[in-house]
Amino acid sequence: MNASPNPASPADAPLPLIAVTMGDGAGIGPEVVVPALLDQDTLGRCRPVVIGDAERLRQAARLRGIDCRIVPVATPQEAEFTPGRINVIDLDLLPADLPWGQLSPVAGDAAYQYVRAAAELAMSGAVQGICTAPLNKEALHAGGHIFPGHTELLAHLTGVEEVSMMLATPTVKVIHVTTHIGLIDAVNRIEPGLVERTVRRGHEAMVRAGNPNPVIGVCGINPHAGENGLFGYGEEEEKIVPALEVVRADGIDARGPLPADTAFFLAGRGDYDLIVAMYHDQGHGPVKVLGLEAGVNLTVGLPVIRTSVDHGTAFDIAGTGKADAGSMIEALRQAAEMSSVPAR
């Protein structure tokens, strides 16, 4: 029997089709994908189809002691959703004896190909969203694909010049003005236009997820948000304040610049729905303390929905069957939630 429709949807509306990329086959991606796609709550929200390697998924199922059927399909539309079945578009790129937990150019190239295929499906409308298992950046580069990570790769594949990374946990959500660049480069890159666009993307994502009036806290760059010029060289007044004035004039409730150390404390107790971080570690550090196990990575600004686990390939435990699938289940939940809402 097919999964029943989402209670929040019309009775005859199908659940969204989500392309799930398997990630780096030498990491824990296959081990978290298998249980996540068998989760009953997942199947009640979406119709997930893996883009990956069928035999590697079977190996992962055996490692975890899971009895299921891994069934290759040619297209998402051919997939059948019955208990104990996982549908996979099998690109068949990995050798059967690929070692677990070891960096592999072959696995790096395969991880790229999974994302490429998923992006093509999403851009054509064959799926309504993408959910990605982790890839390894070093393996990706060794496989001949020089991208800092999923965010930049998907922007390239979908023809988008600028996107934002958002991390979401049950406790706090954060969107980044800059991500995978050095700290000095990040400070130099931050300017009012970029801050404004990031705040707007964050606001739109929150509205799409069902919060029509989010309260957004915007971090400063310097300790204590500069404390009126005591720290730094006036970066907050030059780079952030003008952006906030523009978005507030459009009715967006963006507050700041805020000292980052207190902003996350206040967000954790519910004062802010979203925090805007200026650089990678300013946002990632608190999120990983406050909710890594259930964390989800969203790419905001793409023409397609994309969510991901908020953890890496974990080569140290890959192949042991110990990986926690909680973040993948949550990533699929959020992909389904956002994909089922018509674009505004």
Side-chain angles (χ1 to χ4, degrees):
M1 173 180 281
N2 290 343
S4 60
N6 188 326
S9 304
D12 58 349
L15 298 173
L17 278 163
I18 305 297
V20 182
T21 61
M22 196 180 76
D24 190 303
I28 63 171
E31 296 176 69
V32 298
V33 164
V34 168
L37 266 67
L38 297 173
D39 180 75
Q40 288 304 303
D41 184 63
T42 297
L43 295 175
R45 295 174 182 273
C46 65
R47 294 176 292 158
V49 178
V50 184
I51 315 297
D53 186 291
E55 181 53 34
R56 196 60 163 181
L57 291 171
R58 294 187 185 105
Q59 292 176 13
R62 289 194 291 270
L63 282 171
R64 300 199 68 132
I66 295 174
D67 183 18
C68 64
R69 290 172 295 126
I70 312 292
V71 183
V73 294
T75 69
Q77 286 65 37
E78 293 181 14
E80 297 178 10
F81 298 91
T82 55
R85 170 176 168 139
I86 294 175
N87 299 281
V88 55
I89 294 177
D90 185 12
L91 300 193
D92 192 21
L93 298 172
L94 301 178
D97 60 352
L98 178 74
W100 294 95
Q102 296 182 27
L103 187 123
S104 163
V106 173
D109 174 62
Y112 168 86
Q113 301 301 338
Y114 305 151
V115 176
R116 177 195 54 75
E120 290 177 358
L121 289 170
M123 292 294 284
S124 72
V127 298
Q128 286 73 60
I130 299 171
C131 183
T132 60
L135 53 72
N136 182 280
K137 295 178 181 64
E138 188 176 353
L140 182 70
H141 294 179
H145 309 288
I146 312 302
F147 295 93
H150 268 121
T151 302
E152 297 82 2
L153 171 55
L154 280 162
H156 168 75
L157 290 171
T158 58
V160 175
E161 292 186 4
E162 186 176 280
V163 295
S164 297
M165 176 189 292
M166 179 185 286
L167 302 180
T169 76
T171 308
V172 64
K173 292 179 173 62
V174 57
I175 190 169
H176 295 70
V177 175
T178 66
T179 50
H180 296 119
I181 56 176
L183 183 55
I184 293 174
D185 294 330
V187 174
N188 289 333
R189 181 172 296 184
I190 296 167
E191 49 86 20
L194 179 57
V195 174
E196 177 192 343
R197 295 190 298 274
T198 304
V199 172
R200 290 188 188 279
R201 280 191 287 267
H203 179 267
E204 290 167 5
M206 296 298 291
V207 171
R208 186 181 185 96
N211 184 342
N213 299 295
V215 180
I216 302 173
V218 181
C219 292
I221 296 171
N222 295 295
H224 303 282
E227 201 164 308
N228 298 317
L230 183 61
F231 304 112
Y233 300 93
E235 288 88 354
E236 282 74 18
E237 291 295 323
E238 174 190 347
K239 297 171 177 284
I240 300 174
V241 171
L244 298 186
E245 291 174 347
V246 172
V247 297
R248 286 172 189 152
D250 288 340
I252 295 175
D253 189 355
R255 306 177 187 183
L258 305 171
D261 54 353
T262 57
F264 283 95
F265 167 76
L266 296 173
R269 74 179 190 185
D271 291 15
Y272 298 106
D273 299 304
L274 175 68
I275 293 293
V276 179
M278 291 295 126
Y279 51 89
H280 184 282
D281 286 11
Q282 188 183 60
H284 276 61
V287 165
K288 292 190 175 184
V289 170
L290 292 170
L292 176 62
E293 293 81 4
V296 174
N297 184 327
L298 298 88
T299 304
V300 181
L302 293 172
V304 299
I305 298 301
R306 180 260 174 167
T307 67
S308 181
V309 295
D310 185 29
H311 60 69
T313 48
F315 280 171
D316 57 326
I317 63 168
T320 67
K322 297 178 180 178
D324 188 335
S327 184
M328 176 58 74
I329 292 171
E330 178 64 15
L332 277 163
R333 185 190 71 79
Q334 293 207 28
E337 180 180 278
M338 298 184 75
S339 298
S340 62
V341 178
R344 287 176 170 80

